[in-house]
Amino acid sequence: MASDMNGRKSLSDFRHDALSETTSTNSECVERARAGDLGNLWVTAARQTGGRGRRGRTWVSEPGNLYASLLLIDPAPMDRLGSLPLAVAVAVHQAVRSVLPAGAEPVEVKWPNDILIGRKKTCGILIEGEALPDGRYALVIGIGINVAVKPDNPLYPVTCLREQGASVSADELFAHLYASMAEALQAWDKGRGIREITARWRAVACGIGEKITVNLPDRSISGHFAGIDDNGLLMLDTGSGKIMPIAAGDVFFGS
Ligand code: BTN
């Protein structure tokens, strides 16, 4: 199977480079893009020495967990990229759920794309983009999944797949992720499949209707999580019928 005539992706379109150690698989992907890589490249590492999280945080990256980044080049027109994080979350959710035993606690997506098991974070996703000097746009989807170990985090409760009864290795989990990402990107269809993706995202979303606080870079806002719009923006009901769309922030439940 290869890309169809509309450029939709399938399994055989992707390459995979497995490293034993790197600073950050995201940085590795950006460097390869700058060096001319054509994209559709997965880079994984058994260990990262400079793993990066959102908002400049460190992502502790000891052996045993999955550290994976997917490099895409010109994945869609810029005005359609806003929905890509939702497609990524749907793919990672699918991979995580598929390795958990029956009866495990619920696997949910926390806006925009953390994956929680029993409301504890088990995966973080860092999506970064860079305009290359030759005019191409490099987009890197970085995914860290707690498989065997759960680094402490003072900001939120954390779990790992082993604690939740899954006995997979990081490599085995990656095989599931590789397949589910190819399928979700095909459904996303360069942003044309946004309705399908938002429907899938809503079906596994955590906390719609609940009271939340969203931490923005300069302030915090509280309200009720009214869902997402078709571009993936969080809709915050701040009271008296006012809905505020939010593009980026950290969500805390029940506060
Ligand atoms: C978050 O803060 O929740 C996002 C964490 C993203 C971590 C992954 S691990 C693979 C890739 N390489 C990095 O340096 N970061 C991402």
Side-chain angles (χ1 to χ4, degrees), residues 181-235:
M181 188 66 74
E183 196 282 324
L185 288 176
Q186 193 169 40
W188 179 64
D189 191 14
K190 292 179 173 282
R192 290 180 289 248
I194 186 167
R195 283 189 182 279
E196 166 68 16
I197 291 297
T198 48
R200 289 191 197 183
W201 191 95
R202 285 188 187 109
V204 294
C206 177
I208 293 180
E210 291 183 22
K211 189 151 192 280
I212 60 171
T213 294
V214 187
N215 285 358
L216 305 174
D218 57 338
R219 65 201 160 117
S220 297
I221 317 172
S222 295
H224 283 89
F225 182 15
I228 53 166
D229 72 2
D230 280 345
N231 294 311
L233 298 185
L234 182 146
M235 308 303 283

Side-chain angles (χ1 to χ4, degrees), residues 4-5 91 110 116 120 133 141 185 206 208 213 224 252:
D4 68 13
M5 59 191 291
K110 174 169 166 270
L116 311 183
K120 296 177 183 164
I141 300 165
L185 288 176
C206 177
I208 293 180
T213 294
H224 283 89
F252 295 89

Side-chain angles (χ1 to χ4, degrees), residues 56-155:
R57 293 175 193 134
T58 296
W59 187 259
V60 176
S61 304
E62 294 305 315
N65 290 343
L66 177 61
Y67 312 108
S69 298
L70 174 60
L71 170 65
L72 300 176
I73 301 288
D74 293 328
M78 294 303 272
D79 62 348
R80 293 211 212 117
L81 280 182
S83 58
L84 180 59
L86 304 182
V88 171
V90 163
V92 181
H93 177 274
Q94 166 66 27
V96 168
R97 198 173 54 179
S98 68
V99 300
L100 286 173
E105 293 201 81
V107 186
E108 297 172 299
V109 177
K110 174 169 166 270
W111 184 88
N113 50 15
D114 284 345
I115 307 298
L116 311 183
I117 306 175
R119 295 247 163 153
K120 296 177 183 164
K121 179 161 168 163
T122 193
C123 167
I125 297 171
L126 177 67
I127 300 181
E128 300 178 302
E130 180 173 303
L132 299 170
D134 62 7
R136 301 178 307 150
Y137 188 75
L139 190 124
V140 179
I141 300 165
I143 300 163
I145 305 181
N146 295 342
V147 179
V149 286
K150 47 168 196 171
D152 284 337
N153 192 307
L155 289 177

